[in-house]
Amino acid sequence: MTSQVSSPAEQADGAVVGEQRRAAGTKDVRRLDRVIIRFAGDSGDGMQLTGDRFTSETASFGNDLSTLPNFPAEIRAPAGTLPGVSSFQLHFADHDILTPGDAPNVLVAMNPAALKANVGDLPRGAEIIVNTDEFTKRAMQKVGYDASPLEDGSLDGYHLHPVPLTTLTVEALKEFDLSRKEAERSKNMFALGLLSWMYHRPTEGTEKFLRTKFARKPDIAAANITAFRAGWNFGETTEDFAVSYEVAPASKAFPVGTYRNISGNLALSYGLVAASRQADLPLFLGSYPITPASDILHELSKHKNFGVRTFQAEDEIAGIGAALGAAFGGSLAVTTTSGPGVALKSETIGLAVSLELPLLVVDIQRGGPSTGLPTKTEQADLLQAMYGRNGEAPVPVVAPCTPADCFDAALEAARIALTYRTPVFLLSDGYLANGSEPWRIPDLDELPHLSVQFAKDPNHTTADGTEVFWPYKRDPKTLARPWAIPGTPGLEHRVGGIEKQDGTGNISYDPANHDFMVRTRQAKIDGIEVPDVEVDDPNGARTLVLGWGSTYGPITAAVRRLRAAGESIAQAHLRHLNPFPKNLGAVLKRYDKVVIPEMNLGQLATLVRAKYLVDAHSYNQVNGMPFKAEQLATALKEAIDG
């Protein structure tokens, strides 16, 4: 995402600009505390770019925000069809918010398919802006409209704004030497200009972005800027839009600092780079492109100046194999993937467990099984991360809870991997990866120290007094084995998948040794120091809602709604899923009821029930979309009353 930085002073300046615009305008201006907008059209209509630009300008203005991109898995799905609809939802406010919102206040529908696919999510009274040029008889029949919904009264409960976006865009660009088809491609910029006027968004950043994006095609840049300005001017002059709206900066929602808008994958990428710098190790990424993890590969490939090396392998197995080799060679090694790729990488993850080398396995979860829903979100890989290997092969599991939190989660995963010499799973998901929110850029002194001491000298004395290197002689506190760089004189040692002898690392088939090594590897994971889970319980509730990963935003929003309605409910959220925080059992036993919402069929609930013998209640959803706050609030209210 494009960087947009706003300090409190800049946010105040944004408010002043808004007041100046309101004073200069002749139309009514209404102030709102929050708005949810959804842009929807064909996957080729540029809805993701439109939403991204509106988001960036909203971030620069100083609003709190949360986004939900939603698009087909196909590169170019059939035009004008329901499966081909791409949308981008943005929730922005003058206060702290947690989700992209349950229901849009405004829908921009570029064609009949976009209208039909999304109108069911709108509350009565919402505003609908439709591109009337696309509502031809054939286009409407393609999605099942027997009559025009713009004329048959089915939209009477909404504020409908019929706008010939295509015609107006082509007319605005008639001075350019463009074909009609080329001119039509700018209609998303016309729509962006109209919405930017409607909500008093800054425009300078978008115009600068367009000049940069099309620097080698100045005519295209000029055409898009012209279409963008034409949309703004249309809103200013047309009688159909009699009102514009202002949402003030969220100046009280953020601690003092410098902020930017960031997506989960970008935050995770920056976290990996920061971890490598804090550890003073080169960063190596071995990866095979897979949705929705590919953006991490794209981003890290830009940062060779920070000692980052990226390797796009021919398949998933080669990607993790190269990463594990880089770990053996002394790098902070990472492999990125999604659920299907984890299945292919499982044997090498088991090898990393046996070799006891630091390796970050980043799983950006998506809907499954098999290829499943590549562009939809799910958090159904938890049990795969925990147990999806042959033999006893325990691996720590860390999960971020918001897009910005992906930065800190990457640092935490690196801390565990480097300190305890183990592969670590980092479980993000498509909702976090593609969604975005404001992120406070941390100061360097806030980052953890991750420095690593490589083995330099022999560490064991034999019975005859000879000093030798034992690659599996462990730190008594962490049980981590020494990390010796290949080629260090006197520290030569073998690696491989066959069981190692304790201490020496020699091949061993001894039953007692195998039993000892299996239990030792498990004890190392069990002994990882993680913070206690914190419980938000201001009123001594009897019901606890426990979550993990990206359910944090919807759960917290639902809890706020219930408390505002006078209900008493406690909330806790897990970052560390293996090992669990040491106080989790005691926390669970304090409550009469424990409810665990998950975007799977109850995987954390299964683990909690098995480990703590607590009758945890699952609330599950596997439709490829994140929870809605109202939906969760209703379910939790039933749990409280039940």
Side-chain angles (χ1 to χ4, degrees):
M1 284 222 172
T2 304
S3 174
Q4 295 292 342
V5 177
S6 59
S7 66
E10 291 169 329
Q11 293 169 7
D13 289 343
V16 171
V17 170
E19 293 297 332
Q20 292 172 342
R21 287 174 175 161
R22 181 164 60 180
T26 58
K27 294 186 177 183
D28 184 22
V29 179
R30 298 176 188 172
R31 174 154 285 186
L32 304 174
D33 63 346
R34 67 186 186 97
V35 174
I36 303 169
I37 297 174
R38 184 181 296 177
F39 298 93
D42 267 338
S43 56
D45 281 340
M47 294 297 93
Q48 303 304 317
L49 175 62
T50 304
D52 178 65
R53 289 314 315 158
F54 196 94
T55 298
S56 294
E57 297 296 359
T58 297
S60 70
F61 188 70
N63 296 118
D64 194 11
L65 61 89
S66 180
T67 68
L68 177 61
N70 186 17
F71 42 86
E74 292 81 7
I75 294 174
R76 184 66 175 92
T81 64
L82 293 175
V85 173
S86 173
S87 67
F88 188 105
Q89 184 164 305
L90 166 68
H91 182 190
F92 61 103
D94 64 2
H95 57 278
D96 175 37
I97 57 174
L98 298 156
T99 74
D102 288 355
N105 307 114
V106 182
L107 171 66
V108 180
M110 303 297 282
N111 61 18
L115 176 64
K116 187 161 190 176
N118 292 281
V119 70
D121 293 336
L122 302 180
R124 307 300 282 181
E127 297 199 62
I128 303 176
I129 301 171
V130 296
N131 180 15
T132 56
D133 289 324
E134 295 296 323
F135 279 72
T136 63
K137 183 177 181 179
R138 183 172 182 274
M140 289 186 289
Q141 288 177 341
K142 188 181 292 188
V143 295
Y145 281 127
D146 295 325
S148 173
L150 310 184
E151 300 170 356
D152 65 3
S154 60
L155 301 179
D156 287 350
Y158 308 99
H159 296 293
L160 181 64
H161 300 280
V163 180
L165 288 173
T166 305
T167 299
L168 291 171
T169 302
V170 172
E171 179 66 20
L173 301 184
K174 63 182 181 181
E175 64 184 85
F176 294 89
D177 186 22
L178 299 174
S179 67
R180 179 178 177 85
K181 186 175 182 180
E182 289 173 328
E184 287 178 0
R185 291 176 183 165
S186 297
K187 63 181 180 290
N188 63 324
M189 288 296 106
F190 189 101
L192 178 60
L194 173 57
L195 269 292
S196 297
W197 169 84
M198 195 171 173
Y199 290 97
H200 296 265
R201 300 296 92 186
T203 61
E204 296 80 8
T206 293
E207 294 192 8
K208 181 179 178 181
F209 168 83
L210 291 171
R211 291 189 185 97
T212 302
K213 180 177 177 63
F214 298 107
R216 296 183 179 180
K217 299 179 179 179
D219 290 345
I220 300 298
N224 277 282
I225 292 171
T226 299
F228 176 68
R229 291 175 177 173
W232 177 284
N233 293 333
F234 177 79
E236 183 71 26
T237 57
T238 184
E239 295 182 1
D240 192 32
F241 292 89
V243 178
S244 63
Y245 305 92
E246 284 186 353
V247 180
S251 55
K252 297 180 181 179
F254 306 115
V256 174
T258 301
Y259 288 80
R260 60 157 296 163
N261 182 48
I262 201 164
S263 68
N265 273 351
L266 185 57
L268 200 154
S269 300
Y270 287 174
L272 293 173
V273 175
S276 75
R277 293 298 82 209
Q278 292 301 104
D280 196 23
L281 297 174
L283 178 65
F284 180 90
L285 173 66
S287 180
Y288 179 76
I290 183 171
T291 302
S294 299
D295 286 343
I296 301 172
L297 171 61
H298 301 159
E299 182 60 34
L300 289 180
S301 67
K302 303 175 184 177
H303 297 292
K304 296 180 178 64
N305 56 314
F306 287 113
V308 178
R309 291 185 179 182
T310 53
F311 171 59
Q312 180 174 322
E314 67 270 27
D315 55 41
E316 295 281 2
I317 299 171
I320 190 173
L324 185 56
F328 182 55
S331 292
L332 176 59
V334 185
T335 188
T336 52
T337 189
S338 191
V342 174
L344 293 166
K345 295 177 187 291
S346 61
E347 183 180 4
T348 308
I349 296 171
L351 176 60
V353 171
S354 176
L355 299 184
E356 300 189 46
L357 288 169
L359 173 67
L360 302 187
V361 181
V362 178
D363 176 8
I364 313 298
Q365 301 166 93
R366 71 190 206 189
S370 188
T371 305
L373 303 174
T375 59
K376 309 303 179 184
T377 196
E378 205 165 86
Q379 49 177 181
D381 295 351
L382 176 56
L383 294 183
Q384 182 184 34
M386 289 284 291
Y387 303 120
R389 293 163 296 283
N390 63 295
E392 296 288 345
V395 173
V397 181
V398 177
C401 64
T402 69
D405 187 51
C406 289
F407 177 87
D408 296 312
L411 286 162
E412 175 64 359
R415 176 192 73 84
I416 293 173
L418 295 171
T419 302
Y420 296 90
R421 307 286 197 270
T422 177
V424 177
F425 260 97
L426 180 56
L427 287 184
S428 179
D429 62 45
Y431 172 37
L432 295 182
N434 296 317
S436 62
E437 66 176 350
W439 171 58
R440 186 181 69 83
I441 301 173
D443 294 329
L444 288 177
D445 58 9
E446 298 177 50
L447 301 180
H449 296 288
L450 303 176
S451 58
V452 175
Q453 295 297 322
F454 291 111
K456 301 292 185 183
D457 302 298
N459 60 0
H460 183 75
T461 303
T462 62
D464 63 3
T466 304
E467 292 188 341
V468 296
F469 175 66
W470 275 15
Y472 282 83
K473 187 170 185 176
R474 301 177 183 279
D475 181 295
K477 181 179 179 182
T478 64
L479 299 182
R481 77 173 186 88
W483 194 2
I485 301 298
T488 305
L491 273 59
E492 297 84 1
H493 59 287
R494 66 170 60 87
V495 295
I498 299 178
E499 184 62 280
K500 317 295 185 299
Q501 184 182 52
D502 177 42
T504 68
N506 296 330
I507 290 175
S508 174
Y509 295 96
D510 179 66
N513 177 81
H514 177 62
D515 183 276
F516 177 81
M517 293 295 280
V518 167
R519 294 180 186 275
T520 300
R521 287 189 289 261
Q522 183 65 58
K524 180 172 68 170
I525 304 307
D526 292 341
I528 292 173
E529 293 185 3
V530 302
D532 283 348
V533 63
E534 297 181 358
V535 183
D536 176 18
D537 185 4
N539 300 313
R542 304 313 308 158
T543 299
L544 171 72
V545 54
L546 178 68
W548 71 278
S550 66
T551 58
Y552 173 79
I555 288 174
T556 306
V559 167
R560 287 182 180 179
R561 293 189 186 195
L562 289 172
R563 290 176 180 171
E567 301 291 343
S568 180
I569 187 168
Q571 177 186 0
H573 208 79
L574 294 175
R575 162 171 283 181
H576 297 89
L577 298 155
N578 193 34
F580 284 132
K582 289 182 171 58
N583 71 328
L584 180 58
V587 166
L588 295 174
K589 291 176 181 177
R590 294 207 304 258
Y591 295 92
D592 297 334
K593 296 179 183 176
V594 177
V595 183
I596 304 179
E598 298 181 79
M599 291 186 293
N600 57 48
L601 295 183
Q603 297 189 14
L604 175 61
T606 296
L607 295 174
V608 166
R609 290 186 190 120
K611 185 173 181 63
Y612 300 108
L613 303 181
V614 171
D615 186 20
H617 299 272
S618 286
Y619 183 75
N620 309 116
Q621 174 176 294
V622 283
N623 62 5
M625 298 295 289
F627 283 113
K628 293 182 178 180
E630 184 62 32
Q631 165 195 5
L632 278 181
T634 300
L636 295 176
K637 178 66 165 62
E638 292 175 356
I640 293 171
D641 295 340

